[in-house]
């Protein structure tokens, strides 16, 4: 374990100054913009292809200076360098944290750390690229039809079985990059141990053309192993029923060899499940589950979009890794966004953070970010075991615009809570459609529907920032009794992120951006953003409770009165 005790940020002058500012803070974005013609330009930054406008945040130069001071004192930049060079900054698990190594290009003379670096005796670049080559070769075989099922038919459906980081990343990326998926190939994702999930996902599939990828870092996760066994049972039963395989152990293991591959760090457990190690893709304990979509965990995506696109995806991550490593703090976008989150969470009392993609293909991005941000920074102790000294983490949530507008934006616009929001949009849609009908009210015939869509993106951030005063409402002739209900306070902070197009590279850039926002916040708070002990207790208790649910009366009697009564009711209701 290499990390020394973290700085307590609350003891710094910067923290004190920020607290003082927050005490009498009355932000006025209308005045700030009116008095400062350069505000938008000064607070707009570029990271790779991402243009990030921070100007509609509750931010002044004075606040920014103190936040940057906090980043400096907490050592965000040196700790990032320690992370990418393999120091064991995951102290509670005594592990390196090297997801950035997963996307280093195969070639490059100016890499930092230099090409060929080793960590704990491992040749990191060599192992990463050997695994990627194996994943790419497999992806090519499936895509070309060279890899067939047991009856010789080509694969049409890939079912990824995983949960948490072994599911949320692949499904989010697959959904986001649908326009790049090879025609005739489909991916599905089974995660929940609720049997309805695998039932629904396999009900209409042809076993002869279905390939399962069992994705589990530990290969010990109850949900994933249960679903993998159910999938194997389904395969054997369906292939047997149609006469495609004989009723012998040999035929069944032959079917598994052609219809199951695995991704895991625990290759011996993969073999014990009956999957040939030749058909297994490894990764390493220095890749956290929620940081793993760019490892072999992304195999389903590599099959769907192909190796070339997957390389572009990884290159996108690397672009932002380089930005994070080499850009001064005052222009470093992930650092600035992480600092703003600290400002809102610790000084202005924000408890949640909305992520609102104006891109339907990003519809799973908020769910993906929930694991990345909340499993990483939802902690009450620091990396030396001492209690945190301030609030940590934020509740991340969101839905794609404009759906969210018609659901929960009311609360963001006029509720009593401060909800900072990230708006994400792309300039060029995958499908540009025009509305030619001419009967859409204000919309002219031939209107570009994507522009109509983005008009909402611009309008929402504007409304949130500048609001609508009572005088403006009155000037519209509104009767006095409802003026206050129709008034908008404004000063509701947003960040606008604009990219040219949702390419694999841009998606990689967006993911890396949020990874490094999480890192920045975790460093300021002094917490280990790379462990997840908080999920263990529930897992242990589920195993202890299973016998009670199965009818073991001693196990039932051992429960507390509430749990016992609930299980008893369940058993009574169960047919
Ligand atoms: O329960 C949390 C967790 O450990 C996540 O961190 C991880 O992504 C998920 O479970 C799945 O774990 P595995 O990939 O080992 O099956």
């Amino acid at each position: 374990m290499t990390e020394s005790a973290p700085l307590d940020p609350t003891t710094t002058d910067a923290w004190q100054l920020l607290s003082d500012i927050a005490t009498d803070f009355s932000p006025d974005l209308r005045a700030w913009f009116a008095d400062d013609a350069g505000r938008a330009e000064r607070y707009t930054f570029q990271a790779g292809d991402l243009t990030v406008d921070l100007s509609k945040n509750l931010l002044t130069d004075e606040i920014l200076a103190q936040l940057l001071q906090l980043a400096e004192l907490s050592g965000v930049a040196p700790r990032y360098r320690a992370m990418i060079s393999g120091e064991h900054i995951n102290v509670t698990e005594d592990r390196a944290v090297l997801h950035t190594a997963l996307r280093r290009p195969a070639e490059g003379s100016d890499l930092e750390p230099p090409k060929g670096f080793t960590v704990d005796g491992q040749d990191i670049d060599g192992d990463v690229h050997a695994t990627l080559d194996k994943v790419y070769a497999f992806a090519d075989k499936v895509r070309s039809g060279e890899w067939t099922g047991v009856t010789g038919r080509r694969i049409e459906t890939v079912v990824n079985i995983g949960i948490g980081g072994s599911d949320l990343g692949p499904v989010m990326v697959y959904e986001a990059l649908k326009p790049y998926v090879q025609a005739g190939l489909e991916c599905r994702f089974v995660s929940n141990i609720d049997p309805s999930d695998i039932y629904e996902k396999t009900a209409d599939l042809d076993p002869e053309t279905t390939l399962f990828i069992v994705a589990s870092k530990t290969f010990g996760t109850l949900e994933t192993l249960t679903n993998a066994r159910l999938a194997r049972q389904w395969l054997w039963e369906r292939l047997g029923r149609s006469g495609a395989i004989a009723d012998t152990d040999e035929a069944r293991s032959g079917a598994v060899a052609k219809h199951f591959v695995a991704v895991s760090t625990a290759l011996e457990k993969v073999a014990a499940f009956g999957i040939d190690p030749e058909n297994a893709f490894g990764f390493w304990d220095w890749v956290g589950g929620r940081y793993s979509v760019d490892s072999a965990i992304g195999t389903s995506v590599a099959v769907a979009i192909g190796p070339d696109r997957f390389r572009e995806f990884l290159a996108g991550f690397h672009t932002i890794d380089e930005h994070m490593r080499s850009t001064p703090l005052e222009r470093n976008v992930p650092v600035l966004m992480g600092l703003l989150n600290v400002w809102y969470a610790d000084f202005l009392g924000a408890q949640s953070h909305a992520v609102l993609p104006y891109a339907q293909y990003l519809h799973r991005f908020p769910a993906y970010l929930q694991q990345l941000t909340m499993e990483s920074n939802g902690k009450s102790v620091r990396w030396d075991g001492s209690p945190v000294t301030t609030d940590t983490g934020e509740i991340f949530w969101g839905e794609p615009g404009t759906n969210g507008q018609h659901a929960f934006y009311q609360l963001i616009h006029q509720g009593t809570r401060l909800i900072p929001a990230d708006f994400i949009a792309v300039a060029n849609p995958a499908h540009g459609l025009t509305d030619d009908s001419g009967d859409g009210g204000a919309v002219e015939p031939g209107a570009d529907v994507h522009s109509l869509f983005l008009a909402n993106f611009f309008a929402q951030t504007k409304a949130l920032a500048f609001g609508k005063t009572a005088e403006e409402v009155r000037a519209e002739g509104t009767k006095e009794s409802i003026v206050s209900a129709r008034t908008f306070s404004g000063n509701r902070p947003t960040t606008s992120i604009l990219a040219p197009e949702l390419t694999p590279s841009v998606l990689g850039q967006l993911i890396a951006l949020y990874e490094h926002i999480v890192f920045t916040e975790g460093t300021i708070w002094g917490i280990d953003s790379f462990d997840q002990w908080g999920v263990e207790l529930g897992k242990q208790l589920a195993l202890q409770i299973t016998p009670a649910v199965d009818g073991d009366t001693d196990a039932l009697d051992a429960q507390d009165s509430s749990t016992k009564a609930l299980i008893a009711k369940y058993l009574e209701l169960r047919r």
Side-chain angles (χ1 to χ4, degrees):
M1 306 204 191
T2 59
E3 287 209 298
S4 50
L7 169 84
D8 176 356
T10 66
T11 62
T12 62
D13 289 347
W15 195 276
Q16 192 50 55
L17 280 161
L18 287 165
S19 301
D20 292 346
I21 295 170
T23 306
D24 300 315
F25 194 48
S26 51
D28 190 348
L29 282 167
R30 280 196 183 215
W32 292 350
F33 272 89
D35 298 345
D36 177 3
R39 181 177 171 91
E41 194 184 342
R42 198 169 67 258
Y43 286 159
T44 297
F45 302 90
Q46 196 70 29
D49 293 319
L50 310 177
T51 301
V52 180
D53 178 358
L54 302 180
S55 67
K56 293 195 186 83
N57 279 285
L58 306 184
L59 184 65
T60 62
D61 291 349
E62 189 191 11
I63 296 166
L64 182 57
Q66 298 312 321
L67 289 171
L68 288 168
Q69 181 67 9
L70 215 47
E72 191 71 54
L73 293 169
S74 313
V76 170
R79 186 164 183 261
Y80 182 76
R81 281 197 297 277
M83 179 180 87
I84 63 175
S85 47
E87 282 189 35
H88 285 205
I89 71 163
N90 177 354
V91 286
T92 70
E93 296 179 311
D94 194 13
R95 287 178 182 167
V97 176
L98 276 171
H99 45 279
T100 50
L102 297 168
R103 51 266 192 151
R104 281 157 56 96
E107 303 304 330
S109 54
D110 55 351
L111 289 173
E112 177 74 40
K115 193 167 160 42
F117 77 116
T118 59
V119 173
D120 303 329
Q122 185 186 359
D123 168 7
I124 302 292
D125 290 321
D127 283 0
V128 164
H129 284 282
T131 302
L132 279 175
D133 288 346
K134 190 172 170 188
V135 169
Y136 292 158
F138 167 72
D140 276 335
K141 276 192 198 161
V142 175
R143 290 165 65 80
S144 67
E146 186 188 333
W147 181 292
T148 62
V150 70
T151 58
R153 289 175 63 192
R154 69 185 291 159
I155 298 301
E156 291 169 5
T157 311
V158 173
V159 181
N160 187 83
I161 300 176
I163 197 163
S166 302
D167 167 74
L168 286 162
V171 70
M172 181 277 284
V173 174
Y174 175 74
E175 290 295 318
L177 299 181
K178 272 237 171 103
Y180 298 89
V181 173
Q182 175 169 296
L185 261 180
E186 185 199 354
C187 292
R188 295 187 185 183
F189 298 85
V190 172
S191 54
N192 204 326
I193 197 172
D194 181 339
S196 309
D197 195 11
I198 193 159
Y199 175 83
E200 285 295 336
K201 302 281 173 45
T202 53
D204 61 341
L205 290 183
D206 182 341
E208 293 183 40
T209 58
T210 300
L211 176 81
F212 292 97
I213 300 179
V214 185
S216 174
K217 179 175 170 179
T218 55
F219 224 77
T221 304
L222 179 72
E223 290 87 341
T224 301
L225 291 188
T226 305
N227 278 324
R229 284 192 298 271
L230 291 175
R232 193 175 55 183
Q233 209 170 288
W234 174 89
L235 183 82
W236 286 341
E237 200 268 319
R238 292 289 186 95
L239 289 175
R241 201 198 298 163
S242 67
I245 59 166
D247 186 15
T248 64
D249 286 349
E250 198 186 352
R252 280 190 281 270
S253 53
V256 169
K258 300 301 277 178
H259 293 269
F260 273 82
V261 300
V263 183
S264 185
T265 59
L267 296 180
E268 63 302 336
K269 292 189 190 164
V270 170
F273 183 86
I275 296 176
D276 183 347
E278 271 303 299
N279 299 338
F281 308 99
F283 62 116
W284 311 274
D285 66 6
W286 41 259
V287 184
R290 54 197 175 273
Y291 297 88
S292 66
V293 66
D294 45 344
S295 71
I297 286 289
T299 297
S300 54
V301 175
V303 170
I305 66 173
D308 288 346
R309 296 300 195 184
F310 201 82
R311 281 189 197 94
E312 289 171 28
F313 177 55
L314 298 185
F317 281 88
H318 184 66
T319 300
I320 300 300
D321 296 344
E322 281 300 280
H323 172 92
M324 176 74 183
R325 182 182 68 77
S326 61
T327 309
L329 296 179
E330 61 273 16
R331 281 185 285 115
N332 193 310
V333 175
V335 170
L336 292 169
M337 289 180 71
L339 290 171
L340 274 168
N341 291 355
V342 170
W343 169 234
Y344 294 128
D346 291 332
F347 298 92
L348 301 186
Q351 299 212 326
S352 82
H353 193 113
V355 180
L356 308 167
Y358 278 65
Q360 182 60 28
Y361 285 115
L362 285 176
H363 70 108
R364 292 295 287 162
F365 194 53
Y368 170 78
L369 288 186
Q370 286 186 324
Q371 188 195 15
L372 177 63
T373 58
M374 290 156 73
E375 201 171 77
S376 295
N377 282 343
K379 313 276 166 72
S380 303
V381 292
R382 302 190 296 165
W383 65 62
D384 65 347
S386 61
V388 294
T389 54
T390 183
D391 277 337
T392 64
E394 299 136 291
I395 300 153
F396 272 74
W397 57 285
E399 280 288 325
T402 57
N403 297 5
Q405 287 176 210
H406 295 275
F408 52 76
Y409 277 34
Q410 164 67 37
L411 186 146
I412 305 182
H413 280 285
Q414 288 190 315
T416 56
R417 295 174 197 280
L418 175 69
I419 303 181
D422 299 345
F423 281 68
I424 304 170
V426 295
N428 297 291
H431 309 290
L433 299 178
T434 55
D435 180 351
D436 300 323
S437 62
D439 54 7
V443 179
E444 296 291 332
D448 171 11
V449 179
H450 187 69
S451 293
L452 196 58
F453 179 36
L454 284 216
N456 282 276
F457 169 95
F458 299 119
Q460 290 296 327
T461 55
K462 188 170 171 146
L464 287 163
F466 306 120
K468 192 170 183 180
T469 64
E471 289 66 44
E472 288 166 342
V473 176
R474 281 191 195 99
E476 289 174 343
T478 306
K479 65 177 175 189
E480 195 56 34
S481 60
I482 57 167
V483 165
S484 55
R486 301 188 63 168
T487 299
F488 292 74
S489 68
N491 296 314
R492 292 172 187 250
T494 61
T495 292
S496 298
I497 302 174
L498 200 55
E501 199 178 339
L502 190 54
T503 59
S505 167
V506 162
L507 184 63
Q509 293 176 47
L510 278 172
I511 299 171
L513 170 67
Y514 280 90
E515 287 177 350
H516 301 330
I517 291 170
V518 165
F519 173 86
T520 301
E521 295 181 66
T523 303
I524 305 257
W525 289 324
I527 58 182
D528 181 345
S529 304
F530 305 101
D531 63 13
Q532 57 285 317
W533 297 106
V535 297
E536 293 304 320
L537 180 60
K539 288 185 194 174
Q540 280 169 14
L541 292 183
L543 290 178
Q544 281 173 24
I545 286 174
T546 301
V549 178
D550 271 348
D552 176 333
T553 44
D554 289 343
L556 187 60
D557 286 341
Q559 305 305 321
D560 64 90
S561 57
S562 164
T563 309
K564 185 177 169 181
L566 284 167
I567 295 172
K569 187 73 191 171
Y570 162 73
L571 293 172
E572 180 195 322
L573 291 172
R574 181 72 201 258
R575 282 192 296 276

